[in-house]
Amino acid sequence: MNRLIVSPSPHDENYTKTSTIMLTVCAALMPALAAGCFIFGFRALLLTAICVGSCVLFEFLCRKLMKRENTIGDFSAVVTGLLLAMNLPVTLPWWIAVIGSFVAIVIVKQLFGGLGQNFANPAITARIVLMVSFPSAMTNWVIPFFWRENAADAVTGATPLALGGDGSLPSYLDLFLGNVGGCIGETCALAILAGGLFLAAKKIISLAAPLSFIGSLALLSLIAGDDPIYQILAGGVFLGAFFMATDYATTPISTKGKIVFGLGCGIVTFVIRHFGSFPEGVSFSILLMNVLTPYIEQLTRTKIFGAKEAEKNEG
């Protein structure tokens, strides 16, 4: 006998699992990780392993202490560890990286309810906390391929955004291939772009936020008399645009909301770079727009055709 089964939506069971999405993001980050290891040596891989391992461990212990179902199987902690490592200098002491993992997983993610409940991107927030707490260690950059000359001593240098206009600026090709100083995963624009386009091709992310982010920064830089190509290739613009401004939990759902989010990131990044004391503003811009996401959602939500707004009770 056939029975009519009534159940709440969604009814389509062919959905993509969280673990599949996270593993796809991990795969998309592999080119940037490989480039970081090639440019900055074996220690980049070691620091990444420490970040990933400590993130997974903190998530496991935190869920145990809270007596909740363990969620390390969804691989979201692995993604957080990878993104955190991509935002760190290769010379950072391992114990500071562990502190960053604790901030990302325990404070930003689990204390707010776990995956999908966090108000801000865990890796971005952890990076900002580390920048404020350990400014010297978080701005200790090394020159590319220093390990080929002397593996024992890291030769420090400046990031492209910190260099002055004295003719020592790297070329577009150096910026595109990662032959510059910076964080482990942000220097090689080619590797990040390949990973971002892979995610877009797999329909894991929408290009609305990345394109509006990069486009608004380039346009404002052009108006201000800066080199727009240099501004989008230098620093963490590509990494932030493709991998952190597209986070499901902390960015708007609608296409209009994503565009507004990206525009806000581009504007804030430009303002910090052009007028602020920090040479880079990507992390701060994404965190600020994360906080504004609920308001963006409300302003850009799709109105149901024929529906009327509920009347407010007076008195």
Side-chain angles (χ1 to χ4, degrees), residues 178-196:
N179 190 25
V180 291
C183 295
I184 292 173
E186 74 176 16
T187 57
C188 184
L190 173 61
I192 302 167
L193 182 61

Side-chain angles (χ1 to χ4, degrees), residues 53-272:
S54 55
C55 279
V56 172
L57 179 62
F58 283 134
E59 176 140 329
F60 176 80
L61 295 176
C62 195
R63 302 295 290 190
K64 279 285 187 183
L65 288 173
M66 293 188 298
K67 297 181 180 179
R68 296 178 180 175
E69 179 184 0
N70 224 297
T71 54
I72 58 173
D74 62 16
F75 298 104
S76 61
V78 176
V79 171
T80 299
L82 282 171
L83 287 175
L84 176 60
M86 297 295 99
N87 282 278
L88 300 178
V90 70
T91 55
L92 191 74
W94 66 268
W95 58 272
I96 296 181
V98 173
I99 293 175
S101 299
F102 177 85
V103 172
I105 295 297
V106 178
I107 297 178
V108 181
K109 184 180 178 183
Q110 293 301 331
L111 290 185
F112 283 89
L115 182 64
Q117 304 298 319
N118 45 292
F119 75 98
N121 186 286
I124 282 288
T125 309
R127 181 190 184 184
I128 292 175
V129 169
L130 294 183
M131 286 177 62
V132 173
S133 304
F134 309 99
S136 297
M138 285 293 292
T139 54
N140 184 31
W141 316 110
V142 296
I143 62 173
F145 307 108
F146 73 93
W147 52 273
R148 290 180 177 178
E149 304 296 332
N150 189 346
D153 298 316
V155 181
T156 59
T159 64
L161 291 173
L163 292 171
D166 55 358
S168 61
L169 296 179
S171 66
Y172 293 157
L173 184 61
D174 285 335
L175 292 170
F176 192 64
L177 297 180
N179 190 25
V180 291
C183 295
I184 292 173
E186 74 176 16
T187 57
C188 184
L190 173 61
I192 302 167
L193 182 61
L197 294 179
F198 171 74
L199 290 180
K202 287 289 186 180
K203 297 183 178 180
I204 299 297
I205 67 170
S206 165
L207 290 178
L211 291 180
S212 59
F213 186 169
I214 296 170
S216 59
L217 176 60
L219 179 60
L220 290 172
S221 299
L222 180 63
I223 295 172
D226 298 330
D227 186 341
I229 298 177
Y230 190 90
Q231 288 297 318
I232 64 175
L233 290 179
V237 175
F238 273 30
L239 182 64
F242 286 104
F243 287 96
M244 285 170 283
T246 55
D247 180 35
Y248 288 178
T250 59
T251 57
I253 298 174
S254 68
T255 300
K256 289 189 295 183
K258 294 179 191 297
I259 293 173
V260 172
F261 185 92
L263 290 173
C265 288
I267 293 170
V268 176
T269 299
F270 167 77
V271 169
I272 293 176

